[in-house]
Amino acid sequence: MERVLAIDGGNSKTDMALVDVEGQVLARVLGPGASPQGVGLQRSVEVFEGMAREAARLAGLPDDEPIAVHTAAYLAGADFPREEEALRDAISARGWSGTTVVGNDTFALLRAGTADGVGVAVVCGAGINCVGVAPDGRTHRFPAVGRISGDWGGGEHLGSEALWLAVRAEDGRGEPTALMDAVIAHYAHYGPVLGVGTLAEVVERLHFGEAVFDPHALCRVLFEVAAGGDAVARAVVDRLVEEIVVLARVSLTRLGLLGEAVDVVLGGGVVTGTGGVVSEAVGVGLRVFAPRVRVRVVDVPPVVGAALLGLDAVGAVGAVGASDAVGASGGASGGGSGRAEARLRAAYGMAVEAAAG
């Protein structure tokens, strides 16, 4: 039976799924973050290799049989064509499947949140990124490699901003903010350095490597303080909303979709962990420019989008334009039923519900 090996490779974790053309999940494997920009190309592919072989074992495949007909790898750190090409060559050399597509992981997020892979997706996790796909397959994207490519936002940036604002509030250079006490409490009670009473102590411990700087935890502190009405923290959250709106608006504009009824999909831990605070504000801001857009937070893991793009590529689902938009080969999309997609989404929906319960 034809199978698709799907990879969603993020900075903090890797999610892999082996699915058949009917949308049945044959194996799912979770692994560490293995972005090639973070750990290097060779190590990145080594992590994927171990996970792929584990997926094959879980699915009961013989050692001498290809794992899949197609590999759909959507990875953080695949930001430029040369990176995609290097990753595609390295993954193809492993012999998991006959064809391989490598794209940025934000494309998987878009497909996970739409029925056809058309629209705009903004991810705000460790960093921030945005991609757009038009109905005719045209794409728009940003390099998204940090400050040098004009980026603002992401969990690492926001966590650093929380600490920066708190420190300046304590030493008198900044505005008074509840972030000061909240960050002290974080380190005093939940961090690796117990009993600190000032941010000056925290800074010293961080400087000498006696404390661990966890920007993602501080990002959560930032949103909690903002929810309590603190003006300084709220200004940072508002700035994030503005940035997401700008990213989506530019992609919609470049693709000629401002007046169309299209989806804007939001994902990543920073967005999904705010209980609708960010998504609702983004919807209000975006509809000033694009009144027909539908803003939603993705409700299944992005690996579902990677799998669907793989099924699109082998003609098992029938999305319009989504696979061609990221250079997929191995079969034209179109004409398939939605049963495989529905089965795949239901499998992950039930898994998420069971985990939540």
Side-chain angles (χ1 to χ4, degrees), residues 212-310:
V212 176
F213 174 54
D214 184 353
H216 299 291
L218 291 178
C219 183
R220 292 192 292 271
V221 171
L222 172 71
F223 276 94
E224 290 170 2
V225 173
D230 183 80
V232 172
R234 183 70 232 183
V236 180
V237 175
D238 290 343
R239 174 71 179 84
L240 174 64
V241 170
E242 292 173 5
E243 186 67 15
I244 294 174
V245 169
V246 166
L247 285 166
R249 177 173 59 83
V250 170
S251 285
L252 290 168
T253 301
R254 298 292 173 85
L255 295 174
L257 299 176
L258 277 179
E260 302 301 319
V262 295
D263 294 309
V264 173
V265 180
L266 307 181
V270 173
V271 173
T272 58
T274 63
V277 171
V278 171
S279 59
E280 291 173 8
V282 167
V284 172
L286 257 184
R287 280 187 279 271
V288 173
F289 309 96
R292 301 179 66 197
V293 298
R294 301 176 294 262
V295 177
R296 62 186 302 260
V297 177
V298 69
D299 57 1
V300 292
V303 71
V304 173
L308 288 170
L309 285 168

Side-chain angles (χ1 to χ4, degrees), residues 50 58 89 92 104 115 120 160 180 194 230 232 236-237 261 264 331 338 341:
L58 292 173
D89 290 345
S92 296
N104 187 268
V120 170
S160 299
M180 185 181 78
L194 300 177
D230 183 80
V232 172
V236 180
V237 175
V264 173
E341 178 162 354

Side-chain angles (χ1 to χ4, degrees), residues 6 43 51 56 59 63 72 79 99 106 109 127 132 163 195 204 206 232 234 243 250 256-257 292 307 310 320 326 350:
R43 177 55 185 160
M51 295 177 65
D63 293 339
D79 294 302
T99 58
T106 316
L109 172 66
L163 178 60
E204 181 178 352
L206 289 170
V232 172
R234 183 70 232 183
E243 186 67 15
V250 170
L257 299 176
R292 301 179 66 197
V320 179
V326 288
M350 288 186 291

